[in-house]
Amino acid sequence: MPVIRHLKVVGPTSEKCAVALPVRKPNAVYRSREHLTEREVERLIEAAKDNRWGHRDATMFLLAFRHGLRAAELVDLRWEQVDLENAILHVRRVKQGTPATHPLTGRELRALRRLQREQGSKSPFVFVSERGTPFSTRGFQAMVERAARAAGFDMKIHPHMLRHSCGYKLANDGVDTRTIQSYLGTSRSSTPSDTLSWRRPALRAYFGISMPLNDSQKPARSICGASNGW
């Protein structure tokens, strides 16, 4: 058998040939800010109305913005948390956030009542797919991205920007930082969580809420919406 002379014995190498994973660029590369203005949120809502399930999608954007909901909190929202008679939303927070009770404005009440009428399934979830199953956070993210493209945004929009936009709106309207933290559920307090939001004077004034004489009564407010435009 002829000897193959062009081959040679080489020693083992210690160099690792691992595949380098792509590194995500900083947020500033994708967008100049992490919030939307109220007018930009309205652009998203209007764009969502052109979808196949436009009213459902627009209502999801509206509630995420008004109540500073994370995507996981929004898709897990259930009808038992919505009190249409007393215009109240019981917000459950993730990431060890503080749950609270938020007022619902007239616009939200009308949107939720219509959604309840149109929802064919008897699902306990407020927002369901056309198959009657709960939304996933990834599905909501895709919905936001489609609406952003349809609305003509030149920056990448993600669902958490709606939560940031809520805080930006409250801050622009003169609400103090501690109250904004309470509304968004990021504060820690010894006050019972179910009464925390109602009892902060800044929020009562902001939403036009007058506290009842005793704790057994519901807060009184006009469901037509407060004077701040919400």
Side-chain angles (χ1 to χ4, degrees):
M1 181 178 179
V3 178
I4 304 175
R5 300 185 180 281
H6 65 275
L7 297 179
K8 64 179 181 178
V9 178
V10 295
T13 176
S14 60
E15 182 181 354
K16 294 183 179 180
C17 300
V19 178
L21 297 175
V23 178
R24 187 184 184 280
K25 299 177 182 178
N27 287 341
V29 176
Y30 300 101
R31 51 194 162 267
S32 59
R33 50 195 163 89
E34 289 297 318
H35 69 271
L36 300 173
T37 65
E38 188 175 9
R39 187 170 297 178
E40 288 172 332
V41 173
E42 289 298 332
R43 281 174 56 192
L44 268 185
I45 292 174
E46 290 302 315
K49 290 179 181 179
D50 293 332
N51 296 345
R52 181 178 180 183
W53 303 100
H55 179 70
R56 177 203 62 190
D57 299 352
T59 304
M60 292 182 78
F61 290 178
L62 178 63
L63 264 65
F65 169 56
R66 291 284 177 83
H67 302 282
L69 300 178
R70 298 177 177 92
E73 296 164 351
L74 181 69
V75 299
D76 191 53
L77 190 65
R78 302 166 190 248
W79 285 112
E80 64 187 29
Q81 295 172 247
V82 182
D83 186 347
L84 296 175
E85 182 179 352
N86 294 294
I88 290 172
L89 179 68
H90 300 282
V91 180
R92 290 199 294 256
R93 298 294 186 184
V94 298
K95 296 187 176 180
Q96 299 182 342
T98 306
T101 303
H102 289 186
L104 289 168
T105 61
R107 181 182 179 185
E108 293 171 279
L109 289 172
R110 290 188 294 272
L112 287 168
R113 285 193 178 107
R114 176 181 166 184
L115 185 65
Q116 195 175 52
R117 290 193 304 268
E118 294 179 351
Q119 194 178 87
S121 67
K122 299 299 181 182
S123 172
F125 293 92
V126 176
F127 302 110
V128 296
S129 68
E130 57 185 309
R131 295 182 177 87
T133 57
F135 256 86
S136 65
T137 54
R138 182 65 189 92
F140 181 59
Q141 179 182 346
M143 182 196 302
V144 171
E145 292 173 354
R146 286 195 302 269
R149 289 193 296 269
F153 282 94
D154 56 0
M155 62 179 177
K156 185 177 177 61
I157 307 296
H158 61 84
H160 206 69
M161 292 179 76
L162 293 170
R163 176 173 165 84
H164 291 169
S165 302
C166 177
Y168 177 82
K169 157 73 174 173
L170 292 171
N172 259 10
D173 289 346
V175 179
D176 64 275
T177 302
R178 181 66 180 84
T179 301
I180 296 174
Q181 289 177 336
S182 171
Y183 189 76
L184 295 179
T186 59
S187 62
R188 296 292 181 266
S189 173
S190 59
T191 306
S193 59
D194 59 340
T195 60
L196 182 61
S197 288
W198 288 128
R199 295 187 182 282
R200 295 199 66 82
L203 283 179
R204 295 205 309 269
Y206 186 76
F207 287 103
I209 301 168
S210 59
M211 288 302 296
L213 296 177
N214 58 68
D215 292 341
S216 64
Q217 295 174 285
K218 297 291 185 182
R221 67 182 299 275
S222 170
I223 64 172
C224 296
S227 58
N228 51 61
W230 275 32

